[in-house]
Amino acid sequence: MGLTSALNTAVFGISFNQRQIDVTASNIANADTAGYSKKTVSANAYFDGDGNVAGIVTNEISRIINEEIQSDYFNSLADTNYGKQIAAFTDRLDDIFGTIGDQSSLSALAGELTGALSSLVNQPGNYAAQQEVVAAADAMARELNTSYQQIADLRQEADEALARQTETVNSLLSNIESIDAAIRDATQAGVSSSEMEDERDRLVEQLSGYLDLNVSKTTTNTLFIQTKNGQPLFSDGEAATLAFQSTNRLGADQQGNAIVATTAGGAQFDIVPAGASGRDRTTGTGLMVATMELRDDVLIEAQKQLDTIAAELSLAFSNVTQASTAATVGPDTGFDLPVSGLQSGNTINLEYTDSAGQSQTITLMAVSDPTLLPLANTATTNPNDTVVGIDISSGTPATYITNIIAALGTAAPDLQVSNDGSDNLRILGDSTTVPNATTVESLSANITPSATTDQGLGLSIFVDQRNGTETFTDAPENGGQRVGYANGISVNPALLADSSLLVDYQTTPAANSENDPARAQYLLNALTNETAYFDPEAGMGSSSSPFQGTVLDYINQTVAYQGNQAADAKTYSDSKEALTLNLAVRYEESYSVNLDAEMAFLVQLENAYSANARVMQTINDLMQELLNVVR
């Protein structure tokens, strides 16, 4: 190696060392700066034809970071934020429903109503006992009203949160667009962009908490960001713009608006489609997915549970079974059934054995709006029946029967259906069908009385007061009377004015005794003994296997369901948070500055700088000696 080559090596060494010292000093200075990654200088040496060092390029500053751990950490943020949001809201939801042991819970209030009815059975003529039932019913109705409104407020809160989240995501995407452009320009100019890449990583980290993202880098060191289902949020250096219109007031069972993204090219797509559930994971996870799932799924389901409680409680107390009478015409037998008391939502239940020897169950449901026909089998909660809608808009029993004849002519052609001549429905088997005679096993109707007396033991303890005072019949018109009913359920004003209606059920031909426990016992049995199927859309059971039990059972099951849901959400949230914390520690360890190591490295660099300086000094001395010899 000649003196010139040695001098070049020393000069380049000093230049490299000075550059590395500057970078190391910056590492030390920024050791406590959030998101700052350790930097190092990459040196590229160039050699001449004789193998001597001709130059060293030290402009390339590299970040020390584990991109695999970084990706895992960013991906985990969506799950963690999703879990936290679901857990926070379901915990509040659990507080609304209370616990089975909580004295203010729906379960406890239902227990108080049961106890009050039991006391009334033992002393029906006691005014205080009657008032206790009215007070317990009123407390139950008010709790349903309050709980429903609290859940409605939670839905509104979630909707407003989506508006704020949309603004934040737009801001993050805009900032990513700006910093990404600067990184692209720096990369093309051969200038270090490491500091800007740190800033971009911090922005992507924040964005990853809102949506489940797929993030990749292009050959120009810019980003390509997609949602989990492949929709572009950031592409070719341009960010999509998100738009969301919050709803002033979300109605019962009303889903809110979707979040719409518009790309720079004008294409539009839903970030999280309205009504999409994060539970199926097609849209991934993240804070926005969780918030929309809460608004349009979890909280609507909770409202449906309250509506189901209110509806089934009302129907259990009010509805009575209209029995049929046996009828025989020649060799054929069946039943005659009065139909004049039918109201929209009431049903006629028919059981028969068809000509193939198969047992069949048909539920005829009354509707006052014929445009709803035909009804789906899901119109009732019974998984084993065939539902047939019948038009009662005429208000004339004879027309009801005409409509039933037409409907059953298609649904049950093996039966003989007619008007008995007194505007009662007559359904007979047919002894002539082959290979077997058709037989009618039972025929009855489930009727909501239109008066408080002389129509059976049932009593409309609760009424619908959303539009004045209306009897609750579970009518399917206008989206269904039970939708939002928990917000309007109230104790019947007639009962508030006269608590003796809890006992007095008959005025003709003679009034029943004031100490007659029949109605009180009927109401108690309706709450504690009579079983029914419950709406599977409220979250418990399925269409093929809905929850079956008493009203009291369903109330207790609902309270337990909410408690379990909150516990499961917390478990999920805790597990995801633990994973994220673990990844966060590993991620930070991969890029953070170790002060001790950097200080030791700085000493090495200073020694190397001094060594190169001594080499230069020695070469200088040799050059002087050489010049002196020449002179």
Side-chain angles (χ1 to χ4, degrees), residues 257-307:
N257 293 319
I259 302 170
V260 180
T262 304
T263 66
Q268 291 189 330
F269 60 90
D270 290 347
I271 288 289
V272 184
S277 171
R279 293 174 176 175
D280 59 19
R281 298 294 185 272
T282 57
T283 54
T285 56
L287 185 61
M288 297 183 92
V289 175
T291 306
M292 186 165 282
E293 181 181 327
L294 286 162
R295 185 196 66 181
D296 293 342
D297 186 351
V298 175
L299 297 175
I300 285 182
E301 180 183 85
Q303 287 181 317
K304 285 182 178 179
Q305 290 173 357
L306 292 178
D307 287 339

Side-chain angles (χ1 to χ4, degrees), residues 240-365:
T241 301
L242 275 58
F244 173 75
Q245 182 63 50
S246 58
T247 306
N248 184 46
R249 196 66 192 170
L250 291 165
D253 208 25
Q254 175 192 356
Q255 293 185 338
N257 293 319
I259 302 170
V260 180
T262 304
T263 66
Q268 291 189 330
F269 60 90
D270 290 347
I271 288 289
V272 184
S277 171
R279 293 174 176 175
D280 59 19
R281 298 294 185 272
T282 57
T283 54
T285 56
L287 185 61
M288 297 183 92
V289 175
T291 306
M292 186 165 282
E293 181 181 327
L294 286 162
R295 185 196 66 181
D296 293 342
D297 186 351
V298 175
L299 297 175
I300 285 182
E301 180 183 85
Q303 287 181 317
K304 285 182 178 179
Q305 290 173 357
L306 292 178
D307 287 339
T308 300
I309 290 173
E312 298 299 337
L313 195 60
S314 296
L315 296 173
F317 287 144
S318 64
N319 281 19
V320 296
T321 299
Q322 175 72 62
S324 59
T325 57
T328 301
V329 177
D332 301 317
T333 61
F335 300 92
D336 291 342
L337 178 71
V339 295
S340 59
L342 285 174
Q343 299 185 64
S344 182
N346 290 169
T347 57
I348 296 173
N349 306 303
L350 167 65
E351 293 183 351
Y352 72 100
T353 302
D354 63 20
S355 59
Q358 299 295 315
S359 297
Q360 303 291 344
T361 299
I362 291 182
T363 300
L364 298 163
M365 178 176 285

Side-chain angles (χ1 to χ4, degrees), residues 488-563:
I489 187 174
S490 178
V491 174
N492 193 332
L495 183 59
L496 290 172
D498 183 8
S499 61
S500 67
L501 290 174
L502 290 165
V503 178
D504 300 337
Y505 60 89
Q506 181 174 301
T507 61
T508 60
N512 64 292
S513 167
E514 64 178 12
N515 292 314
D516 184 350
R519 173 168 271 183
Q521 186 65 61
Y522 180 87
L523 297 173
L524 179 61
N525 289 341
L527 184 60
T528 60
N529 293 334
E530 295 297 324
T531 62
Y533 291 109
F534 291 82
D535 184 7
E537 289 190 5
M540 286 177 284
S542 63
S543 57
S544 61
S545 181
F547 178 84
Q548 185 178 18
T550 66
V551 175
L552 200 58
D553 291 336
Y554 185 80
I555 293 172
N556 290 333
Q557 184 68 21
T558 300
V559 172
Y561 177 92
Q562 291 299 332

Side-chain angles (χ1 to χ4, degrees), residues 50 75 128 137 143 261 295 345 356 431 450 462 474 550 582 603:
D50 297 326
N75 289 338
E143 182 61 26
R295 185 196 66 181
S431 59
S450 57
F462 299 107
D474 208 11
T550 66
N582 178 270
V603 171

